[in-house]
Amino acid sequence: MEGRLARTHVDHQDLVRFAEDRVNLPHDKAIEYRAQANRLGERLESYLTEHPDFSLRRIQIAGSLAKGTALRTINDIDMAAYISGASAPTDTRALLDYLAERLRKAFPNFSADQVTPNTYSVTVAFRGSGLDVDVVPILYDGDEQWYGDLVSQDDGSRLRTSIPLHLAFTRARKKAQPIHYAQVVRLVKFWARNMKAERDGFRFKSLMIEMIVAHLCDQGVNLSDYYEALQAVFTYIARSNMREKIAFTDCYPASSVGVFSEPVQIIDPVNALNNVARLYTSAQADMIVDAALDAGDAIDAAMHAPTKQETVRYWQKVFGPSFQV
C-alpha cells in the first residue's frame, strides 16, 4: 500500500515532466544545433568542389546529438571528418593541423581563434549560437561500411570505428523501445552528471551508459516505466559489480570478441577488439557501483515514503536539487 501511495506523490509522469523540463535537449534546440552542424558540413563540401586536393570524403554529425541522447546542458557538437589520400598526414598533431588549416580556408570570415586544434580534435566556435563544433578526424581507406581509424578522445590512440554503424546500433535500440530507450539513457546520464558534481573522482562516460542500457534493452527489460527502468539500471550495475563483460553481435560474431585484462569490459559494438572502458580502474568502477547502490536505495525509499516532501527528497538524492514536482 505504501509503495502505491508513494507513486501518487511522484509517478512515472512526474519523471517524464522532469526529463522534459530539466534533462532533455529541447526539440527546437536540437533542430537548431543540427542545422548549425549541417551548415558546417555543407560549407566544407562546397569548399571541396573548389579544392579537390583536400581529401575529405565524408563529414557527419556524431555523438549524442546524432543519437538523440543529448542533455539540455550540451556544450558542443561532435562531428566526424573522414580523411583519406596520400596528402593526408598520419601523425596525429600534423593531421589536426592539416584539418584546422582547411577549416580556416573553408571559413575565411572566421577569426583565427574560432578554429582551434585541440589535443584530439579541431574546435570550430560559432559565435551566434555559442555552441562549439568538435571535428574529430578519421583516417579512411575506402571501406564500404565507413570504417576508419579515429583519434580517440580518451587518450589519442587510434581506434577502428564506423560512425554510420554506431548510429545504426542506436537506431536499432530506439526502434525496439521507441522514446524510452533514449529517455532512460538521458536520465542515467543526468544522474551520472550529478554524481560527478557531488563525488570527487567519479567518472562514467556516456558511451558506457548507452551500452549498459542497450544491453538491458536487448535482454528484454521493459524501459517504459522510468521508476522500474532506472531501478533496473542501478540494480544491474550493483549486481554485476561493473565486472560483467558486455558485448553485442550487431556487427561481429561473439566468437571474435577480444580477450581483455581490464577490470571493466564494455566492448565497442562496432569493434570487437576495443574495450570502451579500458581506462577505468577498479577503484573507479567501485565508485560507480557505490553510487548506483545509493541511487537504488533512494528509489526504494521513495517508493515507500509516506509524504510527497519525503519522496521528492529521496529523488533529489538521485538527480540533485533540480528535481522538483
Side-chain angles (χ1 to χ4, degrees):
M1 175 66 106
E2 288 180 357
R4 286 196 298 274
L5 179 64
R7 294 294 286 262
T8 67
H9 299 317
V10 175
D11 64 11
H12 168 77
Q13 286 304 318
D14 291 312
L15 295 176
V16 171
R17 281 189 289 273
F18 168 69
E20 291 172 349
D21 293 343
R22 297 286 184 173
V23 176
N24 300 347
L25 180 66
H27 182 63
D28 59 335
K29 284 293 183 185
I31 292 173
E32 176 189 339
Y33 295 160
R34 287 192 187 100
Q36 174 182 316
N38 287 332
R39 284 195 297 274
L40 184 150
E42 288 164 6
R43 184 69 193 90
L44 272 180
E45 287 168 2
S46 173
Y47 177 81
L48 286 179
T49 61
E50 303 161 13
H51 302 82
D53 60 309
F54 182 21
S55 51
L56 182 75
R57 295 294 173 261
R58 178 180 187 142
I59 186 161
Q60 72 175 113
I61 304 172
S64 62
L65 186 64
K67 296 173 184 174
T69 58
L71 299 183
R72 181 177 289 264
T73 52
I74 186 174
N75 53 19
D76 55 42
I77 301 168
D78 293 323
M79 294 193 80
Y82 280 83
I83 298 171
S84 68
S87 63
T90 56
D91 173 74
T92 297
R93 183 75 263 160
L95 179 62
L96 291 167
D97 289 341
Y98 171 89
L99 179 58
E101 179 189 351
R102 280 145 185 83
L103 284 166
R104 291 191 188 103
K105 288 179 178 177
F107 293 90
N109 295 328
F110 278 22
S111 61
D113 63 348
Q114 283 182 268
V115 180
T116 310
N118 299 314
T119 311
Y120 308 126
S121 64
V122 177
T123 298
V124 181
F126 286 81
R127 289 182 174 153
S129 68
L131 201 67
D132 294 341
V133 176
D134 272 341
V135 184
V136 179
I138 297 177
L139 285 172
Y140 176 62
D141 55 12
D143 183 89
E144 290 183 358
Q145 293 185 303
W146 290 96
Y147 275 95
D149 292 326
L150 168 79
V151 178
S152 168
Q153 295 290 80
D154 289 331
D155 61 1
S157 62
R158 295 295 172 87
L159 292 174
R160 192 77 173 161
T161 194
S162 167
I163 302 302
L165 289 182
H166 258 292
L167 298 181
F169 174 90
T170 299
R171 282 196 302 273
R173 275 74 198 169
K174 291 171 75 173
K175 182 178 180 181
Q177 299 208 44
I179 301 173
H180 306 306
Y181 167 75
Q183 185 61 78
V184 172
V185 167
R186 290 192 293 265
L187 286 166
V188 179
K189 284 171 62 174
F190 190 90
W191 162 77
R193 180 175 167 271
N194 184 48
M195 291 299 99
K196 187 176 181 180
E198 288 187 359
R199 304 185 180 209
D200 188 41
F202 183 92
R203 60 192 294 249
F204 195 8
K205 69 178 181 180
S206 295
L207 184 58
M208 290 166 61
I209 291 170
E210 291 170 20
M211 297 302 98
I212 288 171
V213 179
H215 175 67
L216 295 177
C217 181
D218 291 358
Q219 296 295 311
V221 174
N222 187 339
L223 304 176
S224 63
D225 182 304
Y226 299 156
Y227 249 97
E228 300 295 336
L230 288 167
Q231 193 63 294
V233 173
F234 297 134
T235 298
Y236 173 79
I237 291 171
R239 180 187 61 75
S240 69
N241 200 36
M242 288 295 288
R243 304 307 199 275
E244 182 176 290
K245 181 184 283 187
I246 293 176
F248 303 90
T249 55
D250 297 52
C251 300
Y252 49 75
S255 59
S256 67
V257 174
V259 176
F260 303 94
S261 59
E262 297 91 357
V264 186
Q265 299 182 16
I266 301 177
I267 313 309
D268 187 335
V270 307
N271 180 349
L273 302 180
N274 176 34
N275 174 16
V276 303
R278 68 188 183 282
L279 299 180
Y280 280 69
T281 64
S282 293
Q284 290 167 331
D286 291 342
M287 285 190 74
I288 296 171
V289 172
D290 288 344
L293 283 166
D294 289 347
D297 287 347
I299 294 174
D300 276 342
M303 290 280 285
H304 298 91
T307 67
K308 180 176 180 179
Q309 182 180 16
E310 197 171 341
T311 306
V312 169
R313 184 169 61 82
Y314 282 121
W315 275 107
Q316 288 177 338
K317 290 180 180 292
V318 180
F319 291 128
S322 67
F323 185 89
Q324 300 289 340
V325 174

